Amino acid sequence: MRILNFWKIPIRIYPLISIVGLFAFVDGFSNSALCTLACPNNIITENDPGICGAYVDYTIELGDCSSYTMSPDLPSGSLFPLGTTILTATSDVGTSCSFYVFVHDAEMPTAKCKEDLIVEIGPPFWEKVVAIELDDGSFDNCGFIEHYSFSSDIADTTVFYTCDCDDLGQHFVELWVTDIYGNQDFCETFILVQDNYSFCDASGISFGGLIATEEGEGLEGVQVDWDWGIGFSFPQFTDATGNYYFSCLTESPPYTFTPHLDTLPANGVTTLDLAFISRHILGLQLLDSPYKLIAADVDRSNSITTLDMLEIRKVILGIKQGFPNNTSWRFVDKNYVFPEPMNPFSEPFPEAIEVINPYNGGLDKDFVAVKVGDVNGSAAVN
């Protein structure tokens, strides 16, 4: 009996009391100390215009917590940078939740082209042009330009020009720029391929020239038709400096080069032009060049009257979208000498250039561009 009582006493009193007290303590701590935070769903958004990031609002639900801190310290409404930012909210007792904000760059870069690129064919009788050679300061709002190409395909980076009549001359091209996030933009320009040193065996002769205003400003986008008398037109267009170029013309002359441009009739036409024309009609202050007189004759009647002023008013007010029997621009052979400069209508003046001699090539087939209705030279040329 003594042995039995000896073992009951310590087991029943001391160990049992210690185990029960421990469980009571742990259970009491969990019921009073823990709380729950609720974070928002992950946020995916675009950058704000002109900013390499985005201002983002979000809400943390406190639940039964009394306060929390954010890591990193970017409270709601902060500017978040491009890419992924992981945020963790931690309560005052240590519980936490997390979410991320992803800002991606959706803004296009800006493509800027050189006005034109001149390529001279030489040994080994071909020339390579890489797209970046056309770049004139393209830039991206965030990061940098990663790819330069001739199309939206970033692998389309190179073109080759050879001693071939199809390659010589003016080529319309696009320069595409792509930023590090895949956004793209493009601009348009020309590549002029020449064989001035006759390295090529391509037959034919080349022609070209400058189309510019009386003040010498080159006019961009003029269509110049080439015709050798069979009713077909093979156009080229003037570049940003007003130059056009035909190469390897192999058909028999005569050749005729005729410019055309009939857009934006109100370009440069204002009430100030009306004032100058009115003073000319009244004899108070005459228009002092044949090209200004041609510009004033908007109805193409070979005279300057109040009817021209009426048509100009209609264009200024938007009542009409052009001039009767006329185009927005007229072009005069620069080498033509008016027999009566103050009466350019005394005989028909040449609005095309004809080449009779098959060997009379060259880049001197120039025209003076006249903006109809604009007698003070205020029209934009590009």
Side-chain angles (χ1 to χ4, degrees):
M1 294 299 291
R2 288 183 180 177
I3 295 174
L4 181 59
N5 289 336
F6 174 79
W7 286 105
K8 285 182 179 179
I9 292 171
I11 293 173
R12 187 169 57 190
I13 297 175
Y14 299 103
L16 184 58
I17 292 174
S18 298
I19 293 172
V20 172
L22 176 63
F23 276 100
F25 176 77
V26 172
D27 184 61
F29 177 81
S30 62
N31 285 335
S32 63
L34 298 182
C35 65
T36 303
L37 294 172
C39 286
N41 293 328
N42 295 324
I43 298 172
I44 300 175
T45 187
E46 297 179 352
N47 69 299
D48 292 341
I51 299 176
C52 295
Y55 290 95
V56 177
D57 296 316
Y58 62 84
T59 301
I60 304 293
E61 298 291 342
L62 276 171
D64 52 353
C65 300
S66 59
S67 64
Y68 69 90
T69 57
M70 292 299 300
S71 178
D73 185 17
L74 289 171
S76 177
S78 296
L79 176 62
F80 283 76
L82 296 178
T84 302
T85 302
I86 300 174
L87 296 102
T88 300
T90 304
S91 73
D92 54 328
V93 296
T95 54
S96 64
C97 63
S98 296
F99 66 104
Y100 67 75
V101 174
F102 177 72
V103 181
H104 65 94
D105 180 15
E107 197 164 339
M108 294 191 307
T110 299
K112 298 184 69 176
C113 287
K114 291 179 179 176
E115 292 185 348
D116 51 36
L117 179 67
I118 298 176
V119 175
E120 187 68 42
I121 295 290
F125 312 114
W126 56 265
E127 288 294 331
K128 178 177 73 172
V129 178
V130 181
I132 196 172
E133 294 180 56
L134 300 172
D135 179 55
D136 193 32
S138 303
F139 62 91
D140 184 49
N141 63 309
C142 301
F144 55 90
I145 303 299
E146 188 171 34
H147 301 286
Y148 298 84
S149 55
F150 287 103
S151 68
S152 59
D153 180 2
I154 61 173
D156 183 16
T157 60
T158 306
V159 293
F160 290 88
Y161 296 104
T162 64
C163 280
D164 186 307
C165 282
D166 290 335
D167 282 358
L168 296 177
Q170 191 180 65
H171 298 266
F172 173 82
V173 294
E174 295 176 347
L175 171 66
W176 286 71
V177 295
T178 307
D179 67 17
I180 59 176
Y181 301 101
N183 302 305
Q184 293 184 314
D185 187 29
F186 73 93
C187 52
E188 301 170 343
T189 187
F190 295 92
I191 296 176
L192 180 59
V193 182
Q194 298 179 335
D195 178 31
N196 288 332
Y197 298 98
S198 301
F199 287 113
C200 298
D201 292 328
S203 60
I205 53 179
S206 298
F207 294 89
L210 173 66
I211 299 181
T213 64
E214 184 180 7
E215 293 77 21
E217 294 183 277
L219 180 59
E220 182 180 10
V222 180
Q223 177 178 320
V224 183
D225 292 332
W226 164 51
D227 185 6
W228 73 93
I230 63 172
F232 290 98
S233 174
F234 296 88
Q236 293 285 355
F237 293 86
T238 56
D239 61 17
T241 63
N243 287 283
Y244 70 95
Y245 185 77
F246 290 88
S247 64
C248 295
L249 303 189
T250 57
E251 300 297 332
S252 299
Y255 304 133
T256 302
F257 301 95
T258 309
H260 302 278
L261 185 61
D262 190 19
T263 60
L264 303 176
N267 177 18
V269 181
T270 68
T271 54
L272 186 58
D273 296 299
L274 283 174
F276 282 123
I277 294 172
S278 176
R279 292 178 65 83
H280 174 84
I281 293 173
L282 295 173
L284 300 176
Q285 183 180 358
L286 298 180
L287 298 173
D288 59 2
S289 82
Y291 305 111
K292 292 178 182 178
L293 294 168
I294 293 170
D297 178 27
V298 301
D299 63 2
R300 208 159 180 166
S301 64
N302 292 332
S303 62
I304 301 170
T305 68
T306 54
L307 293 177
D308 295 299
M309 296 179 61
L310 178 62
E311 295 299 333
I312 289 175
R313 285 193 184 94
K314 291 177 182 178
V315 169
I316 292 174
L317 295 173
I319 298 172
K320 285 191 174 182
Q321 299 302 312
F323 299 108
N325 306 313
N326 213 339
T327 53
S328 296
W329 291 83
R330 297 182 72 178
F331 304 92
V332 182
D333 181 355
K334 186 177 180 180
N335 291 326
Y336 175 71
V337 178
F338 291 93
E340 298 179 45
M342 295 309 296
N343 181 21
F345 315 111
S346 62
E347 69 175 31
F349 50 84
E351 298 186 73
I353 294 177
E354 186 177 48
V355 178
I356 304 297
N357 187 338
Y359 302 104
N360 190 21
L363 304 180
D364 58 351
K365 308 302 182 282
D366 299 339
F367 291 88
V368 177
V370 178
K371 176 63 187 69
V372 173
D374 173 29
V375 299
N376 67 338
S378 62
V381 295
N382 51 32

